[in-house]
Amino acid sequence: MKTNFNLRPYNSFGFDAVAKYFIEINEIQQLEALIQNDVFRNEKRLILSGGNNILFQNDYFDGLVVHINTKGIEILQEDENEVVVRAQAGEDWPYFVKTMVAKGYHGIENLAHIPGKVGAAPVQNIGAYGMELKDSFLRCEAISVTTGEKHVFMKDDCRFSYRESIFKNELKGKYIITSVDFQLKKNAPLNLDYGNIKSYLEQNGMENPTLQQLHDAICAIRDAKLPDVKQIGSCGSFFKNPVIEQAQFEALQKEYPNIPHYPEADGKVKVPAGWLIEHSGPSTGSGTASWKGWRNEHVGVYEKQALVLVHYGGGKGQDIVELANRIQESVKNKFGIHIFPEVNFV
Ligand code: EPU
């Protein structure tokens, strides 16, 4: 266990936050032993996976940070149509997806290139390009932080919804996910319906892409739109796309006929927060400019995707908190819609 440990390499925003205690878990037995340890029992705890969806608001974390780094991918079951694959929580998510695609397994290809680790993927039910983690999730194993007992959560136990699960709500901080089992298909239709996937493939002469070509296309589309966290600090989408009532949407559409929108099953309408942010802005003396591409010395709104807040270096978590508050307020003032962060504040 280390003390006064700088978490900068462990949060993709790249903020300097110092943890009072830090431990890296490479074997599950280490975790089982840790749960009996006094520091673990008495201190405030933070379970850190890839750190790709975490905002350290302060420079100091007064407690223990547990970094899960366990590795391993194994096939549990296989027949001619399907395969059940177990991945340990510390496996790199993009590597896992790439490995499954190379084997010809379908079900997570549209989730290619999302930075993070396998163990964090169910926590916020990661999603992209018309696919969500829950679509291929079979079950996960987790350890109770109070009793050290193992528990298996089946899909229905996890209460998945858009960027949500039981692990982010009722069970927050109560369990540590140690492995995830996926049910993947050996053959399945590809999902090309979202946004510009089809047009990108057509432009590149791939009308009928293979699984591998789709995977690579999604990596390229993401690269073009989202910052590389090795170069610019960010957590991907900072806010969730808000879901509003049909009546409120119709009123908005009258005023903004081009507003993009996606109907939800319950009759409500999902509106892209990126569009709302792009079409609002910081108040200036001479009117209102767009937030998109706005920056001060340390932080800003990514120029190619307004949903992504970025840290250019030298800033503090509070700079992002202040910017996020200003954006929330201006979106509320202009459109009457409250947008909520998808990023976890610590
Ligand atoms: N838009 C704008 N301006 C912007 C950004 C977006 O007008 O600055 C418009 C686009 O033109 C488009 C719509 O908003 O009509 C949706 O944009 P996009 O396809 O880029 O997706 P998003 O809704 O902004 C979501 C996820 C992303 C995921 C993409 C692709 C959330 C919060 N974000 O973004 O997930 O990669 O769809 O599926 O649902 C993440 O969670 O970190 C993340 C990157």
Side-chain angles (χ1 to χ4, degrees):
M1 193 174 296
K2 295 177 175 148
T3 52
N4 289 323
F5 186 81
N6 191 333
L7 298 167
R8 193 199 302 192
Y10 293 85
N11 73 104
S12 60
F13 260 127
F15 289 121
D16 283 308
V18 171
K20 185 174 174 190
Y21 299 104
F22 177 89
I23 186 163
E24 182 167 294
I25 301 294
N26 296 303
E27 301 293 337
I28 212 72
Q29 293 78 2
Q30 273 175 286
L31 185 60
E32 288 161 359
L34 179 70
I35 290 171
Q36 312 304 330
N37 182 300
D38 279 349
V39 173
F40 186 90
R41 293 188 160 277
N42 301 330
E43 295 284 333
K44 189 171 134 188
R45 293 179 291 256
L46 172 69
I47 310 304
L48 191 65
S49 188
N52 290 279
N53 211 39
I54 270 195
L55 173 62
F56 288 109
Q57 301 180 72
N58 303 308
D59 302 345
Y60 189 64
F61 181 78
D62 189 10
L64 168 67
V65 173
V66 182
H67 175 57
I68 308 292
N69 200 34
T70 48
K71 305 283 184 207
I73 298 173
E74 65 183 306
I75 293 179
L76 300 184
Q77 251 172 278
E78 182 169 11
D79 63 25
E80 68 268 30
N81 300 316
E82 281 190 351
V83 56
V84 175
V85 182
R86 173 165 298 173
Q88 297 302 314
E91 279 291 350
D92 181 60
W93 177 261
Y95 169 77
F96 175 60
V97 176
K98 200 158 72 176
T99 309
M100 294 302 102
V101 166
K103 286 182 180 293
Y105 301 157
H106 296 242
I108 50 176
E109 58 280 3
N110 292 30
L111 306 179
H113 218 33
I114 297 181
K117 297 203 172 189
V118 165
V123 176
Q124 63 147 351
N125 182 27
I126 58 169
Y129 303 102
M131 195 177 264
E132 285 186 323
L133 173 106
K134 72 172 169 56
D135 304 335
S136 56
F137 177 97
L138 180 62
R139 63 191 162 227
C140 67
E141 201 170 277
I143 293 187
S144 159
V145 299
T146 42
T147 64
E149 276 168 28
K150 286 185 189 151
H151 188 91
V152 173
F153 290 89
M154 300 306 290
K155 188 195 286 203
D156 285 348
D157 301 331
C158 298
R159 301 211 202 127
F160 291 125
S161 61
Y162 170 60
R163 296 295 193 276
E164 292 291 344
S165 78
I166 197 164
F167 304 109
K168 225 177 147 176
N169 294 288
E170 294 92 322
L171 296 186
K172 190 172 178 181
K174 298 204 166 74
Y175 281 89
I176 301 174
I177 294 175
T178 51
S179 66
V180 183
D181 295 352
F182 296 86
Q183 193 155 26
L184 304 173
K185 296 200 162 52
K186 291 193 175 167
N187 225 322
L190 300 177
N191 180 351
L192 311 177
D193 290 338
Y194 185 93
N196 60 340
I197 295 185
K198 260 197 195 120
S199 58
Y200 176 90
L201 289 164
E202 278 164 20
Q203 277 159 23
N204 289 278
M206 293 181 277
E207 281 78 8
N208 292 306
T210 61
L211 178 66
Q212 185 69 53
Q213 284 172 328
L214 173 59
H215 170 274
D216 297 350
I218 285 178
C219 293
I221 293 169
R222 287 187 74 94
D223 275 344
K225 250 193 189 173
L226 299 167
D228 176 355
V229 290
K230 291 189 196 98
Q231 320 222 331
I232 305 177
S234 97
C235 271
S237 299
F238 192 87
F239 297 100
K240 289 199 276 191
N241 288 330
V243 176
I244 60 174
E245 297 294 335
Q246 177 77 29
Q248 187 183 10
F249 174 71
E250 280 168 13
L252 267 177
Q253 203 181 23
K254 273 204 188 104
E255 213 176 326
Y256 307 97
N258 296 328
I259 185 168
H261 55 283
Y262 312 103
E264 291 283 285
D266 55 7
K268 294 183 177 173
V269 183
K270 190 184 269 181
V271 179
W275 187 93
L276 298 170
I277 297 169
E278 176 170 349
H279 292 85
S280 51
S283 314
T284 58
S286 56
T288 310
S290 171
W291 280 116
K292 198 171 183 172
W294 180 95
R295 68 167 288 180
N296 65 19
E297 196 184 346
H298 303 301
V299 295
V301 179
Y302 194 50
E303 63 204 357
K304 296 180 197 159
Q305 220 310 3
L307 195 49
V308 177
L309 304 191
V310 288
H311 171 219
Y312 293 102
K316 289 179 178 297
Q318 274 305 313
D319 296 332
I320 289 285
V321 174
E322 276 165 32
L323 175 58
N325 286 340
R326 288 182 66 193
I327 290 173
Q328 269 174 319
E329 207 180 303
S330 62
V331 167
K332 177 86 185 148
N333 288 341
K334 177 140 185 202
F335 299 105
I337 298 176
H338 200 96
I339 53 171
F340 294 98
E342 71 150 62
V343 168
N344 296 300
F345 287 50
V346 173

